[in-house]
Amino acid sequence: MAGARGLVGLTRDALGARLGQAGFVRRDGPAEVWRYRGPDCLLDVFVYRENDGAQRVAHVDARTPQGRPTPPDPCLDSLERARRPAS
């Protein structure tokens, strides 16, 4: 599935392979928040430890650098474009 909804269910390793290392990771009990900073947004990816011990993406949020909510799909698109090698 394309877009931010396509991140939901990914393992930590798959998330890292897709988006690279997060600029900031906050650990809070069974959860981690991976924050990616793009040119015009911040993407927060919420990773939770499941009962079987696997850590998977459960939720994705995006906001502007000023803190206003913004749709996550355009934010994810800009992050992925920035990761592509220049041709």
Side-chain angles (χ1 to χ4, degrees), residues 32-61:
E32 293 180 353
V33 179
W34 291 28
R35 180 167 299 145
Y36 294 91
R37 181 178 294 275
D40 54 0
C41 65
L42 301 168
L43 188 74
D44 290 327
V45 181
F46 297 81
V47 179
Y48 285 88
R49 183 176 307 278
E50 297 179 343
N51 290 336
D52 65 0
Q55 292 178 290
R56 295 189 183 279
V57 175
H59 182 72
V60 179
D61 254 341

